[in-house]
Amino acid sequence: MKSWISFLLPNDEYKEKKMLYFFSEGAIILFLSLIVMIICNKYFNLDVETVLLAAIAIFLFYVSGRYKVSGIEYADITTESAYRKELRVIFIRTIGFVVIFMICYLIFTNSPKNLDEWFEILSLLIGVSVIWFLSSYISLKRSYKKNKELL
């Protein structure tokens, strides 16, 4: 019988088992961080929204970080040519994100009026893009190494 959480899990049995470990580790870290925040709330005045946002961020960053670093994301990358091809796909996907984001930003908002506003939006966009590319690159590199060892 499938659980309601099964839509979050991959079809591969090994990946599914690893993801369940990541979710349970994230839940324990989330629980411990909430206890720390309760203790800190006695000494600092913490907003409810800040605590909830921090708790959600801790869980999501932990689970996604563990998934990326584990080397199970790209199970079919075993050759150098497949590695290079997927690296190009990651790069093109990142550039596509930048272009689509800028187009949507310019269409749906008032375009930035001064240099400071342009700097803010471009620095945010570049920061997110670099983090996205690096996390995908690290995941690809780890997967490639792990798949090569298994051969």
Side-chain angles (χ1 to χ4, degrees):
M1 184 172 149
K2 289 268 186 181
S3 171
W4 63 270
I5 201 166
S6 62
F7 74 92
L8 293 174
L9 301 173
N11 293 330
D12 183 11
E13 188 176 332
Y14 177 74
K15 282 185 180 181
E16 179 182 355
K17 185 176 179 183
K18 291 297 253 181
M19 287 299 297
L20 287 173
Y21 281 125
F22 301 156
F23 282 130
S24 61
E25 290 170 358
I28 291 168
I29 290 173
L30 172 64
F31 177 72
L32 293 174
S33 67
L34 288 173
I35 289 174
V36 168
M37 286 185 210
I38 288 171
I39 294 169
C40 287
N41 196 32
K42 293 192 183 289
Y43 303 106
F44 308 106
N45 189 12
L46 299 175
D47 248 0
V48 173
E49 292 88 10
T50 305
V51 170
L52 291 175
L53 183 62
I56 291 169
I58 287 169
F59 180 79
L60 290 178
F61 282 128
Y62 180 81
V63 172
S64 62
R66 284 281 285 150
Y67 180 72
K68 294 277 187 184
V69 172
S70 70
I72 62 173
E73 187 173 8
Y74 300 97
D76 55 338
I77 306 297
T78 55
T79 63
E80 182 74 26
S81 62
Y83 172 78
R84 290 187 189 278
K85 184 178 179 182
E86 192 62 35
L87 189 58
R88 274 192 300 268
V89 168
I90 290 170
F91 184 74
I92 290 169
R93 205 179 304 147
T94 304
I95 297 299
F97 166 75
V98 169
V99 170
I100 290 170
F101 182 88
M102 278 307 292
I103 290 171
C104 290
Y105 181 80
L106 293 173
I107 289 173
F108 295 114
T109 64
N110 296 332
S111 61
K113 294 175 183 32
N114 59 33
L115 194 58
D116 287 340
E117 289 179 15
W118 276 106
F119 180 75
E120 286 176 13
I121 190 63
L122 289 177
S123 60
L124 172 69
L125 184 57
I126 290 169
V128 168
S129 300
V130 166
I131 290 170
W132 185 10
F133 178 79
L134 286 177
S135 67
S136 297
Y137 173 74
I138 290 168
S139 179
L140 176 64
K141 188 90 168 158
R142 296 255 181 166
S143 296
Y144 177 60
K145 278 184 173 181
K146 190 172 188 174
N147 293 339
K148 230 176 155 179
E149 289 173 2
L150 292 174
L151 290 179

